[in-house]
Amino acid sequence: MTSGTTPAPQPQAPRKSFLRSATVVAVAMAIMNVAAYGFTLIGSRRLEQDQFGAITALLGLLLIGNVASLGLQATAARQLATHSGDGAATLADAILRAGRRSAAGLTVLCLVLTPVFMWLLHVDSVVAILLLAPTLGGLTLMGSQLGILQGSHRWTELAAVYTSAGIGRLVLGGGALFVHPSLDWAMAGLAIGAAVPAALGQFFLRRSTGSTREQVKDVLRETVHGTHTLLAFFALANADILFARALLDEKDSGYYAAGLIIAKACLFLPQFVIVLVFPSLANSPGDTVRLRRAIFAVAGLGACAVAGTLILPGIVVEVIGGKEKYAELGPYTWLFAVAGSAYAVLQLVVYAAIAQQEKRAALGIWLGLVVLAAAAGIILGTGTATGLTGVKVLAGMTSTCALLLSAGLATGLHRQSAEVTTN
């Protein structure tokens, strides 16, 4: 072998390492999502339609509240991915302390807002609403830990925490429904399950020490900006179940909740792509080629999911709750797959904006939410579309909103990177 040929194998090493990391994280997140949706499927079968609609609304509220966890994760991953020199353990400790402060604050806020949540979601159980607080606290702690592991490229430990999150929800939350099929027991299982990944993450990061108060404040300041953008996204992505709960009758709201099992599966299916690509986007802001490839990957997975619902609608209905309850939803399951896939693309673009520290993205998403709320109020609130027609119209409106926002935000990021390059 000559000297001119020896370098050839070297570029393959980073690619193989990336593929191994991608496989580990993808499998772990698949386990987490399958387990999490296993809990939802158990709920759809063990609970009555009105209680299933209530638990779905509570899960939507948890997803909105979980943006603090995701904001912490994004901040931690970005700061550690761009960190150079010594002091990584100190920075990790600052992130963990910021996570504990955020968890405590959100727990108190949830408890204070209990009456508001009961009124908004039409849930009569005080216990179920109160249990939102410890559940959200555990998820927030987990977010700071995930960000440290992600930004440090500790993929195996990251995968372990993701796996434990899903198993905790399935075993403890789903197990509670088998013991006693009620809203209170389901929320109790979720609260205990949320403590499992937080405990594991703390074990992995037990050697992180030495942060200063200023470092913690710096983490919290950046977290506020990232959380604001993610709050806008998750408020938009979960607003439809609130609209369905408020504007459709209980039976149709239950149909929509069942359809959302498909939509959420399609939303979280390509999440491993975001986890893997985010640190590199933070290290190379304005890398539109990398972002475009990631968008194609996410959209491709979404297209496969839509095709699956079109080819096998009967099996999909059987999985989400059974033909006895949801047979009428069968021909329209693909609409929910489209909606979830559209939101998956939008989520990727939102994380790209956070990686570039673009703070104007949140405004566009909030405007999209206002438009969607107005459209839902006019079309569903006035009775223009009712029954299953209302279910289909709401799913179609959410898809359209997500796709338009994705195109607008991606164009804005491309324009911003072009301006930076020119200057």
Side-chain angles (χ1 to χ4, degrees):
M1 183 178 293
T2 65
S3 60
T5 60
T6 52
Q10 294 179 2
Q12 300 298 321
R15 185 177 301 173
K16 289 181 179 179
S17 176
F18 177 81
L19 289 175
R20 282 195 297 270
S21 301
T23 301
V24 169
V25 174
V27 169
M29 297 191 77
I31 293 172
M32 178 187 70
N33 289 324
V34 168
Y37 282 101
F39 165 79
T40 306
L41 293 175
I42 292 171
S44 70
R45 293 177 180 273
R46 297 288 293 171
L47 296 172
E48 296 298 326
Q49 282 186 336
D50 59 336
Q51 284 209 328
F52 180 60
I55 192 67
T56 304
L58 290 174
L59 288 174
L61 197 59
L62 276 175
L63 282 174
I64 295 172
N66 194 46
V67 293
S69 171
L70 295 173
L72 278 164
Q73 182 177 352
T75 297
R78 197 202 69 78
Q79 290 198 0
L80 281 166
T82 57
H83 180 77
S84 58
D86 299 328
T90 301
L91 177 57
D93 183 56
I95 294 165
L96 290 175
R97 288 175 61 187
R100 288 192 289 270
R101 290 188 187 184
S102 301
L106 283 172
T107 298
V108 172
L109 181 62
C110 261
L111 293 173
V112 171
L113 292 177
T114 294
V116 177
F117 294 152
M118 292 181 68
W119 168 78
L120 179 66
L121 302 179
H122 307 291
V123 175
D124 296 328
S125 173
V126 177
V127 173
I129 299 295
L130 286 174
L131 286 169
L132 283 170
T135 307
L136 191 56
L139 294 174
T140 304
L141 289 174
M142 182 182 72
S144 61
Q145 298 157 356
L146 288 173
I148 295 169
L149 298 173
Q150 180 185 0
S152 304
H153 293 189
R154 295 165 64 175
W155 303 119
T156 302
E157 292 162 304
L158 179 74
V161 176
Y162 274 129
T163 302
S164 68
I167 292 176
R169 176 172 290 194
L170 178 63
V171 173
L172 296 169
L177 283 172
F178 278 109
V179 173
H180 192 282
S182 69
L183 188 60
D184 291 351
W185 277 70
M187 290 303 299
L190 289 179
I192 300 171
V196 174
L200 183 60
Q202 186 60 45
F203 173 76
F204 287 147
L205 299 169
R206 61 192 182 280
R207 294 187 177 88
S208 302
T209 57
S211 64
T212 64
R213 183 177 298 179
E214 284 305 312
Q215 285 179 306
V216 175
K217 288 182 179 179
D218 180 60
V219 172
L220 288 172
R221 276 193 294 266
E222 183 174 335
T223 298
V224 168
H225 295 301
T227 299
H228 179 213
T229 304
L230 289 170
L231 175 63
F233 168 75
F234 279 99
L236 177 67
N238 292 282
D240 54 347
I241 184 58
L242 301 180
F243 297 152
R245 187 84 177 160
L247 301 173
L248 298 174
D249 62 31
E250 287 187 356
K251 181 180 179 182
D252 294 323
S253 174
Y255 278 135
Y256 198 88
L260 279 182
I261 297 176
I262 304 165
K264 298 308 180 188
C266 294
L267 170 60
F268 292 112
L269 173 66
Q271 198 173 24
F272 73 93
V273 176
I274 299 172
V275 170
L276 289 167
V277 80
F278 181 79
S280 59
L281 289 175
N283 262 326
S284 305
D287 189 346
T288 55
V289 174
R290 192 183 300 271
L291 176 60
R292 194 179 304 118
R293 289 174 179 171
I295 289 174
F296 287 152
V298 171
L301 288 170
C304 291
V306 173
T309 57
L310 285 170
I311 296 170
L312 302 168
I315 294 177
V316 173
V317 169
E318 193 62 41
V319 169
I320 64 175
K323 293 181 179 179
E324 297 81 7
K325 289 184 179 180
Y326 303 109
E328 294 181 68
L329 199 61
Y332 315 115
T333 53
W334 67 272
L335 286 170
F336 291 95
V338 171
S341 301
Y343 276 116
V345 173
L346 177 58
Q347 184 180 30
L348 172 62
V349 178
V350 165
Y351 270 97
I354 293 173
Q356 291 186 205
Q357 295 190 285
E358 167 56 67
K359 300 178 177 64
R360 294 171 294 181
L363 177 60
I365 300 172
W366 285 123
L367 289 175
L369 176 57
V370 171
V371 172
L372 179 61
I378 292 171
I379 297 175
L380 301 181
T382 60
T384 303
T386 59
L388 273 177
T389 301
V391 171
K392 292 185 290 181
V393 167
L394 183 56
M397 286 193 296
T398 58
S399 302
T400 302
C401 182
L403 291 173
L404 290 176
L405 283 172
S406 298
L409 291 178
T411 301
L413 290 175
H414 178 71
R415 187 180 299 116
Q416 182 190 50
S417 62
E419 290 174 356
V420 171
T421 303
T422 302
N423 294 334

